[in-house]
Amino acid sequence: MPEENRIVLNTTDAIYFVEIKDILYCKSDNSYTTFYLEKHEPVVVSRKIKDYEHQLANSGFIRPHQSYLVNLSHLQKIDKTNGFTLILTGNKKIPTSTRKKKEILQILQKELRFQAESLHFQV
């Protein structure tokens, strides 16, 4: 298995070798980051989310909020009625900061190749 398809998560109890595609999202708690995975219990590591944002930047992840890093391959829909919430696989709801809405739409247009007309709505 190629190394670029996995990430190493070093915790106090174990070292996890996680497939990047299995990461739903990451949540920050100051100096800790919790990885929420598709087929595994959450994994908590003692590194800041910013470190992982750079590491996962070319793997289809976006940072819609200061506390979250989201895998676009698990994006199911965007709930515009509830503050522009990202809905992921398993109905996981991720908030979007107000100042990031336009940036997220631009990223989605580029990364997911949305038709330009599908993004013409009020944010």
Side-chain angles (χ1 to χ4, degrees), residues 13-42:
D13 299 332
I15 299 172
Y16 295 88
F17 299 92
V18 175
E19 296 248 4
I20 291 173
K21 66 179 179 59
D22 291 338
I23 301 169
L24 296 173
Y25 66 98
C26 307
K27 184 176 181 187
S28 171
D29 183 16
N30 296 320
S31 295
Y32 293 90
T33 302
T34 302
F35 283 78
Y36 291 88
L37 308 170
E38 191 172 31
K39 303 170 188 171
H40 194 281
E41 293 296 314

Side-chain angles (χ1 to χ4, degrees), residues 44-57:
V44 180
V45 294
S46 61
R47 281 181 62 193
K48 293 183 180 200
I49 199 167
K50 187 172 187 150
D51 297 336
Y52 294 107
E53 179 181 12
H54 296 299
Q55 190 173 354
L56 296 169

Side-chain angles (χ1 to χ4, degrees), residues 46-90:
S46 61
R47 281 181 62 193
K48 293 183 180 200
I49 199 167
K50 187 172 187 150
D51 297 336
Y52 294 107
E53 179 181 12
H54 296 299
Q55 190 173 354
L56 296 169
N58 295 323
S59 297
F61 283 75
I62 60 169
R63 186 120 178 235
H65 186 280
Q66 177 181 340
S67 299
Y68 292 92
L69 187 59
V70 173
N71 187 343
L72 284 178
S73 66
H74 289 284
L75 180 63
Q76 300 292 305
K77 70 178 180 177
I78 297 172
D79 184 352
K80 298 187 300 182
T81 63
N82 193 15
F84 209 76
T85 302
L86 304 181
I87 311 297
L88 306 180
T89 304

